[in-house]
Amino acid sequence: DLFGLTLDEVRQRFPSVFQHILLHVKPERETNNRATYRNDWHIFGEPREEIRPAVHGLSRIIVTAITAKHRIFLFQDAKISWDDALIGIALSDATALGILSSRIHSEWALASGGLLEDRPRYNKSRCFDLFPFPEATPSQRAEIAALAEELDALRKTVLAANDSLTLTGLYNVLEKLRAGATLSPAERDAHNAGQVSVLRHLHDRIDAAVAAAYGWPVALPAAEIVARVVALNAERAAEEAAGHVRWLRPEYQAPEEARRRATQRALDVETTVAGAPAWPKDRAAQFVALRAALHASPATPAEVASRFATKPRNIGEMLRTLSALGQARETGGGRYAA
């Protein structure tokens, strides 16, 4: 990967590389119709300048095949450039790997993506960009991350130890186990060498942990999962319209906001609003308190939350519920009033 280097720098610093591309790359590039391919013949045809800043500073990223029988996500060394058969996601967080590896995301990707013949395709703009991640607690994130790290390590360990195994083969056996089908002798060998029952156990644990992070039952039908993801996506869209964005990597996506929040946390530890009411623990009492808070003046969900001594959760969803019941009304600009 010679991106960022001039031809002179390549020749002077890496003469053996220069000789290789001079003999095997330049002749083909000289006949290419695209001027950039001809002139910058030592650089990858599509150097992906937009993704490089996102990957910079990460030791690993998450990848998945665009077209595959099984929707599998795994960590890859960030120094490795991937080709157009893979989707690269510039996240190194194991919690994200676990969430993407869950049944909730798999069912959503299957429903929202496309097909190539009989194989599902992962469309990033629909499968990933529109997918709402759960608002997990620190303990939930830690559990999902630990399981995802173990899953990633197990698969890489068994594949490295057995040249005959493939990821597709492992997940073919896993699918048959879940269906209660009888394994062939070759599949039993793959099951034993690939520790597929352990693989299944880890996926089941990840599914349960991710479902708990969403606050959903773990055994939902596929159609119900998709319906809930769509509803949550609509809720998040309303939040973003009101100015509240749940960044996956705030230090990269919104660095100024991340620095501001870090400063606020450092200066504003365990502060409460003087005289502000406590947020009730009972659900019914929460709706009563929420409606009472709206009588002061129209407010956004974030502004309403600031009117309590302890920060409530799911304010946006509760305000929409009150609005649907006729107990609150939208006044524009993402604000609600009683």
Side-chain angles (χ1 to χ4, degrees):
D1 183 4
L2 303 175
F3 180 80
L5 298 175
T6 66
L7 272 173
D8 288 342
E9 288 174 323
V10 176
R11 186 184 65 253
Q12 293 164 6
R13 295 173 56 186
F14 311 107
S16 61
V17 172
F18 181 85
Q19 176 166 287
H20 177 83
I21 62 172
L22 182 67
L23 296 177
H24 301 287
V25 176
K26 188 173 186 293
E28 180 181 343
R29 285 291 191 88
E30 285 180 331
T31 63
N32 198 287
N33 291 329
R34 293 183 63 175
T36 55
Y37 284 20
R38 292 195 307 272
N39 298 334
D40 299 325
W41 56 267
H42 65 296
I43 298 173
F44 289 154
E46 300 296 338
R48 299 300 184 191
E49 297 180 51
E50 71 282 358
I51 194 65
R52 290 177 185 268
V55 174
H56 180 73
L58 298 181
S59 61
R60 61 187 184 181
I61 61 168
I62 299 171
V63 297
T64 189
I66 292 181
T67 304
K69 181 179 180 182
H70 307 288
R71 183 49 51 203
I72 302 169
F73 294 85
L74 64 152
F75 280 129
Q76 172 181 285
D77 190 326
K79 294 180 180 178
I80 298 174
S81 297
W82 62 96
D83 65 12
D84 59 356
L86 293 178
I87 294 287
I89 300 170
L91 293 171
S92 60
D93 179 14
T95 304
L97 177 66
I99 292 168
L100 293 174
S101 299
S102 70
R103 178 172 173 256
I104 288 175
H105 183 69
S106 295
E107 294 291 0
W108 162 253
L110 190 63
S112 61
L115 287 174
L116 179 62
E117 299 172 345
D118 60 341
R119 291 170 297 160
R121 286 178 59 85
Y122 195 83
N123 184 318
K124 176 192 169 293
S125 62
R126 295 190 59 80
C127 300
F128 181 81
D129 290 352
L130 299 182
F131 180 72
F133 278 61
E135 188 178 8
T137 65
S139 61
Q140 288 171 334
R141 291 182 60 84
E143 180 185 8
I144 295 169
L147 291 167
E149 294 280 16
E150 188 175 349
L151 173 68
D152 194 59
L154 173 69
R155 293 182 303 202
K156 289 173 179 174
T157 298
V158 298
L159 290 176
N162 299 273
D163 292 338
S164 62
L165 294 181
T166 65
L167 274 175
T168 300
L170 292 179
Y171 279 84
N172 284 341
V173 174
L174 175 58
E175 195 172 76
K176 293 194 72 171
L177 284 180
R178 285 179 167 161
T182 302
L183 301 182
S184 69
E187 289 168 338
R188 284 198 298 272
D189 289 342
H191 168 271
N192 295 335
Q195 302 177 34
V196 179
S197 284
V198 181
L199 184 69
R200 178 184 182 182
H201 175 76
L202 288 171
H203 271 291
D204 289 346
R205 290 278 307 278
I206 287 172
D207 289 344
V210 173
Y214 280 102
W216 300 348
V218 69
L220 289 172
E224 176 69 11
I225 288 175
V226 174
R228 288 185 181 226
V229 171
V230 170
L232 185 55
N233 169 274
E235 179 181 326
R236 296 289 175 81
E239 286 183 353
E240 292 190 7
H244 175 48
V245 182
R246 300 166 186 263
W247 305 107
L248 291 177
R249 278 182 64 198
E251 71 283 357
Y252 171 72
Q253 296 170 295
E256 290 300 325
E257 181 177 333
R259 281 194 289 270
R260 184 172 65 253
R261 288 184 176 180
T263 302
Q264 289 172 344
R265 282 195 297 270
L267 297 177
D268 202 21
V269 178
E270 297 296 330
T271 59
T272 59
V273 178
W279 181 244
K281 295 183 178 180
D282 179 73
R283 187 68 167 176
Q286 290 175 356
F287 279 103
V288 173
L290 189 57
R291 192 164 186 272
L294 291 176
H295 279 289
S297 63
T300 66
E303 290 168 344
V304 174
S306 70
R307 295 174 180 176
F308 294 92
T310 52
K311 184 179 179 182
R313 297 181 63 187
N314 302 321
I315 283 289
E317 179 184 351
M318 295 179 71
L319 286 171
R320 281 188 290 277
T321 300
L322 284 176
S323 180
L325 295 173
Q327 300 296 309
R329 56 188 173 84
E330 294 189 57
T331 61
R335 285 180 161 76
Y336 290 82

